[in-house]
Amino acid sequence: ILTGLPASGKSWLGAQLARALGWPLLDKDAFLEALYDQEGFSDMAGRQDQSRRADRAFLTAAASTTKAVLVSFWRPLDSTGASGTPLADLLDAPHQEICCLCPVETARHRFQTRSRHPGHLDASRSTADMSRQFTDYAARLPLLPGAIRVDTSKPVDVAALVASQD
């Protein structure tokens, strides 16, 4: 399970780990973007509904496999907020959290300069709100005890990370 701030490198590292381990990659954004492509997208309320439906499809796919690399912006266990995939749904299965850590301003800058599906409505988020939300979320990372912490503000040695788990 890869955790971390938005734009902290979860999708990139998840793809590298899945390839190195020979496991499937399940990235919640792929499920969400498929909905955008099928249904279109409009406003934040509609996007929230699509996100919850993508969570259900993503978690169903995760439950149907014994080994996978799971990437999402996970909702902390103590959070009642609407943002993020509910982590509690996965806690009955064995897992390892790999927490992608980088400075809040690095993640915010990456977030504002990356190119993603327009259905995410990234351009509608203010810098101040984003910095505040990222700072709050970063204080809760990692989400679970025993997490592997990976500094994604610099290149990651994926082979060494995989070898450390053998």
Side-chain angles (χ1 to χ4, degrees), residues 69-153:
V69 175
L70 307 178
V71 177
S72 185
F73 177 70
W74 299 96
R75 186 179 309 152
L77 293 173
D78 61 349
S79 172
T80 57
S83 188
T85 302
L87 181 62
D89 293 346
L90 292 177
L91 294 183
D92 290 336
H95 60 275
Q96 173 65 61
E97 176 185 3
I98 298 177
C99 185
C100 297
L101 298 169
C102 66
V104 166
E105 287 308 306
T106 299
R108 186 202 50 77
H109 176 74
R110 288 175 180 172
F111 187 94
Q112 290 181 308
T113 58
R114 70 183 176 179
S115 177
R116 281 202 313 171
H117 194 290
H120 290 284
L121 305 177
D122 291 345
S124 68
R125 301 188 60 190
S126 78
T127 299
D129 285 345
M130 200 178 316
S131 291
R132 185 177 62 254
Q133 290 168 349
F134 283 22
T135 299
D136 177 59
Y137 189 74
R140 300 171 187 227
L141 293 172
L143 299 177
L144 302 171
I148 297 169
R149 298 166 185 250
V150 177
D151 180 354
T152 55
S153 64

Side-chain angles (χ1 to χ4, degrees), residues 33-91:
E33 291 169 5
L35 286 176
Y36 296 153
D37 290 342
Q38 292 168 356
E39 302 172 357
F41 50 90
S42 57
D43 58 12
M44 197 54 80
R47 188 213 171 282
Q48 289 280 336
D49 174 67
Q50 288 173 312
S51 185
R52 296 295 69 89
R53 289 187 287 130
D55 282 337
R56 288 190 295 275
F58 170 67
L59 292 170
T60 297
S64 72
T65 185
T66 57
K67 292 183 179 182
V69 175
L70 307 178
V71 177
S72 185
F73 177 70
W74 299 96
R75 186 179 309 152
L77 293 173
D78 61 349
S79 172
T80 57
S83 188
T85 302
L87 181 62
D89 293 346
L90 292 177
L91 294 183

